[in-house]
C-alpha cells in the first residue's frame, strides 16, 4: 500500500489567525469601554446618551499608585569588589533606562496592562546604539506557547505587527534556540537565536488561578459605569423638560396657538383645565440623586478605589485613619506589585545578560532586586527617623535605607556623604 499523502503544514501567520479568539475579543471590548464607547447597541431616535468615563479615571488612578517610587538595585555581595561591580551594573542599567525612556514606557505599559489584562516587554541588543533596546509590543499581536506543567515558562513566542510601506504583516517566532522571520506568509529568515533565551516577558495585570492570561481592571466597572451613564442621562432629560415645561390641557378639543412663555394668556372653555406638568414635584430629583450616589458608591467599592484616593476627604483624615480609608487601593496595588517584582527583576536580568554578552559588562553573580516606594502618603520626617533607627540598631544597611527613601543610586549617594564628611573633618 502506498504511503498516505501528507498535506504540507500551513505557514505560521495563517495558523495564528485561528488562535486566541476569545482573548483578543476581550482585549477589544475592554479597550473600547476604557476609551468611552460604553453604551450597548445603537441609540434610539431622540435618546440621550451621556457618558461619564469613570472606568478610565479608576484605571488611571490605580496605575499612578503602582509605579510610585519604584527602582532596581543590584546586589553583588558584601566584598568591595562585589559592591563595585554592582555599582557599575546599576550605572549601566540607568543609562539603558534613559536611552529607552523606561519611566514613560513603563507607565504606558502598565496602563495598557490594566486595560487589556496582559502586557509584554521585549529586550534585545541594539548594535547601532551599542546598548540594550527595551520595547513594549502590543500584546494583541502576541501569541505564546508554554510548558504544560508550568505556565510561567515560555517555550515559544510569536509576535505580529505591521511594518513598511506598503504596509505588510511581519511575524517573528522565537524559541530559546531559533528565530524565524515571516513577511506576510513567506519565511524570509531562519537562524539561531543570538541571545540564548526568548527575549519576551509576558505578564498579567492580575493573575487568575489556573489561567495562562490575566484579567483586566475594566470588567468590574462595566455594569456600574453603564448604570451611572443611564441614570445621569435620565436625570438630564427630566431637568431639560422641566426647564421647558409641558402644557397639559383637559377638556379641550383643539390646542392651536398654545404658547408656554412669560406673559402668555390661554383661552379655554369654562369646563376645561390647563396647567404645566411639574416633573420635579414630590422630590423626584432627590430620588434620582440618591440613586446616582448609591451607584457611585458601588463603583468605588468594586473598583477598590475609595473617594479619598481622588482627593475627597471632608473629615480631614490623616495618619493611620487616612491609611485605613485608602487600604482597599493599597491592597489592589500590592497584588499587582507581587507580580511586577518578578517581571522587572527578570527584565533587568535580561538587560545585564545582554550588556555582558555584547557590551563587555562584568555581570557574573549580580542579582537585580526590585525596590518599591510606599504606596500611600507618608510622613517623610517620620520615615527618615524610622530608617535612621533601623540603621543605628544594625537591622538595616545605609544602602537599603537610602533605596527605601527614594535614592536612585544609594552607593553613589553614600560615597558623596563620605566625601563631604572627609572634607569637613567630621568623624
Amino acid at each position: 500500500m502506498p504511503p498516505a499523502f501528507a498535506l504540507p503544514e500551513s505557514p505560521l501567520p495563517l495558523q495564528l489567525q485561528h488562535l486566541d479568539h476569545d482573548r483578543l475579543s476581550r482585549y477589544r471590548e475592554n479597550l473600547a469601554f476604557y476609551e468611552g464607547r460604553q453604551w450597548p447597541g445603537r441609540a434610539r431616535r431622540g435618546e440621550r446618551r451621556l457618558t461619564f468615563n469613570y472606568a478610565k479615571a479608576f484605571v488611571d488612578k490605580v496605575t499612578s499608585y503602582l509605579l510610585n517610587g519604584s527602582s532596581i538595585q543590584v546586589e553583588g555581595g558584601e566584598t568591595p569588589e562585589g559592591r563595585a561591580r554592582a555599582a557599575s551594573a546599576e550605572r549601566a542599567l540607568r543609562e539603558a533606562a534613559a536611552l529607552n525612556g523606561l519611566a514613560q514606557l513603563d507607565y504606558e505599559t502598565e496602563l495598557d496592562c490594566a486595560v487589556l489584562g496582559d502586557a509584554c516587554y521585549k529586550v534585545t541588543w541594539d548594535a547601532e546604539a551599542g546598548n540594550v533596546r527595551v520595547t513594549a509590543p502590543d500584546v494583541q499581536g502576541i501569541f505564546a506557547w508554554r510548558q504544560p506543567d508550568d505556565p510561567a515558562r515560555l517555550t515559544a513566542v510569536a509576535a505580529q505587527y505591521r511594518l513598511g510601506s506598503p504596509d505588510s504583516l511581519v511575524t517573528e517566532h522565537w524559541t530559546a534556540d531559533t528565530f524565524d522571520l515571516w513577511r506576510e506568509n513567506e519565511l524570509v529568515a531562519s537562524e539561531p537565536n543570538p541571545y540564548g533565551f526568548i527575549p519576551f516577558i509576558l505578564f498579567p495585570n492580575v493573575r487568575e488561578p489556573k489561567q495562562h492570561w490575566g484579567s483586566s481592571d475594566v470588567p468590574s466597572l462595566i455594569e456600574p459605569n453603564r448604570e451611572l451613564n443611564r441614570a445621569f442621562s435620565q436625570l438630564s432629560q427630566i431637568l431639560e423638560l422641566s426647564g421647558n415645561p409641558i402644557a397639559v390641557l383637559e377638556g379641550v378639543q383643539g390646542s392651536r396657538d398654545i404658547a408656554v412663555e412669560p406673559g402668555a394668556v390661554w383661552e379655554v372653555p369654562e369646563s376645561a383645565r390647563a396647567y404645566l406638568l411639574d416633573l420635579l414635584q414630590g422630590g423626584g430629583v432627590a430620588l434620582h440623586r440618591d440613586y446616582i450616589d448609591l451607584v457611585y458608591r458601588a463603583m468605588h467599592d468594586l473598583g477598590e478605589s475609595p473617594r479619598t484616593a481622588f482627593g475627597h476627604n471632608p473629615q480631614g483624615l490623616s495618619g493611620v485613619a487616612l491609611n485605613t480609608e485608602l487600604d482597599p487601593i493599597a491592597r489592589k496595588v500590592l497584588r499587582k506589585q507581587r507580580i511586577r517584582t518578578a517581571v522587572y527583576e527578570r527584565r533587568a536580568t535580561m538587560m545585564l545578560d545582554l550588556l555582558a554578552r555584547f557590551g563587555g559588562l562584568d555581570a557574573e553573580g549580580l542579582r537585580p532586586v526590585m525596590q518599591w516606594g510606599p504606596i500611600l502618603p507618608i510622613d517623610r520626617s517620620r520615615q527618615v527617623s524610622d530608617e535612621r533607627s533601623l540603621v543605628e540598631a544594625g537591622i538595616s544597611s545605609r544602602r537599603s535605607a537610602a533605596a527605601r527613601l527614594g535614592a536612585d543610586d544609594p552607593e553613589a549617594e553614600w560615597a558623596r556623604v563620605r566625601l563631604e564628611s572627609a572634607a569637613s573633618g567630621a568623624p
Side-chain angles (χ1 to χ4, degrees):
M1 176 181 293
F5 178 73
L7 293 174
E9 186 176 357
S10 61
L12 178 65
L14 292 180
Q15 297 179 40
L16 298 182
Q17 294 178 8
H18 305 286
L19 297 180
D20 292 357
H21 288 295
D22 291 342
R23 173 174 68 94
L24 299 179
S25 178
R26 288 198 309 271
Y27 289 167
R28 290 190 293 269
E29 292 170 1
N30 292 335
L31 184 59
F33 198 88
Y34 172 81
E35 291 176 343
R37 301 190 291 276
Q38 299 178 353
W39 285 86
R42 302 183 65 176
R44 299 187 301 273
R45 184 175 182 180
E47 181 185 11
R48 175 167 298 185
R49 289 187 164 188
L50 300 180
T51 300
F52 293 82
N53 199 347
Y54 279 97
K56 182 178 187 303
F58 275 59
V59 171
D60 291 355
K61 175 60 67 174
V62 173
T63 305
S64 67
Y65 274 80
L66 178 59
L67 293 174
N68 185 38
S70 61
S71 64
I72 281 284
Q73 310 296 328
V74 179
E75 294 184 353
E78 297 303 320
T79 65
E81 179 188 5
R83 288 195 294 268
R85 291 169 59 247
S88 177
E90 285 184 1
R91 287 193 296 270
L93 288 177
R94 284 195 299 274
E95 181 181 344
L99 176 67
N100 289 277
L102 288 191
Q104 182 66 26
L105 181 67
D106 288 349
Y107 177 77
E108 293 172 355
T109 303
E110 289 294 352
L111 194 57
D112 206 37
C113 186
V115 174
L116 300 180
D118 300 285
C120 176
Y121 285 116
K122 181 181 181 183
V123 184
T124 56
W125 181 257
D126 187 341
E128 292 184 6
N131 211 319
V132 176
R133 175 63 63 186
V134 180
T135 57
D138 186 356
V139 74
Q140 296 179 87
I142 297 295
F143 302 85
W145 292 262
R146 309 169 192 263
Q147 286 280 8
D149 59 341
D150 186 3
R153 292 183 59 189
L154 300 174
T155 58
V157 170
Q160 281 193 330
Y161 50 91
R162 294 281 175 179
L163 184 67
S165 180
D167 205 11
S168 62
L169 181 67
V170 177
T171 305
E172 298 180 8
H173 182 260
W174 294 82
T175 70
D177 301 318
T178 63
F179 167 67
D180 297 331
L181 181 66
W182 301 72
R183 282 193 179 272
E184 296 298 344
N185 297 324
E186 180 183 356
L187 181 65
V188 296
S190 182
E191 56 193 42
N193 184 339
Y195 307 128
F197 57 82
I198 299 175
F200 288 85
I201 306 170
L202 275 62
F203 61 98
N205 173 50
V206 177
R207 194 181 303 280
E208 292 187 349
K210 313 302 182 184
Q211 299 298 318
H212 293 172
W213 300 96
S215 59
S216 165
D217 287 352
V218 172
S220 63
L221 302 170
I222 289 178
E223 286 303 321
N225 206 154
R226 281 180 174 164
E227 185 63 14
L228 198 64
N229 291 339
R230 189 201 62 79
F232 270 119
S233 299
Q234 187 177 56
L235 180 58
S236 173
Q237 188 83 25
I238 292 173
L239 292 175
E240 182 181 22
L241 292 175
S242 299
N244 299 276
I246 301 171
V248 180
L249 303 177
E250 296 181 355
V252 178
Q253 296 298 322
S255 58
R256 290 183 302 172
D257 300 325
I258 298 296
V260 180
E261 59 185 21
V265 177
W266 299 348
E267 294 182 5
V268 296
E270 184 178 350
S271 61
R273 189 164 73 97
Y275 59 91
L276 298 178
L277 183 63
D278 184 4
L279 297 176
L280 303 182
Q281 63 182 351
V285 171
L287 291 175
H288 284 276
R289 186 188 61 221
D290 291 344
Y291 179 66
I292 287 173
D293 189 55
L294 285 173
V295 176
Y296 189 54
R297 284 159 52 188
M299 177 174 288
H300 278 284
D301 291 343
L302 293 172
E304 301 178 75
S305 301
R307 289 196 65 187
T308 312
F310 292 84
H312 182 75
N313 188 14
Q315 300 176 344
L317 300 176
S318 62
V320 176
L322 179 61
N323 286 353
T324 301
E325 182 79 9
L326 292 171
D327 187 65
I329 195 171
R331 297 292 177 182
K332 185 172 187 175
V333 171
L334 186 59
R335 291 199 301 272
K336 294 189 178 188
Q337 287 183 347
R338 289 194 181 103
I339 298 171
R340 303 310 189 270
T341 295
V343 171
Y344 289 114
E345 289 181 354
R346 172 62 177 160
R347 187 179 72 179
T349 299
M350 285 184 175
M351 295 170 70
L352 290 177
D353 187 289
L354 296 182
L355 287 167
R357 188 186 301 255
F358 301 105
L361 179 71
D362 183 5
E364 185 178 356
L366 301 182
R367 184 172 71 90
V369 178
M370 188 67 186
Q371 297 282 352
W372 297 101
I375 298 173
L376 301 179
I378 59 171
D379 184 341
R380 179 72 172 179
S381 60
R382 175 63 182 272
Q383 186 189 16
V384 171
S385 177
D386 290 346
E387 295 294 346
R388 178 179 179 181
S389 298
L390 291 173
V391 171
E392 291 177 347
I395 299 174
S396 178
S397 68
R398 288 183 173 89
R399 187 176 187 276
S400 298
R404 288 192 292 268
L405 288 170
D408 291 333
D409 189 349
E411 286 290 347
E413 193 67 29
W414 176 232
R416 285 191 288 268
V417 169
R418 288 181 296 179
L419 185 62
E420 290 178 0
S421 298
S424 63

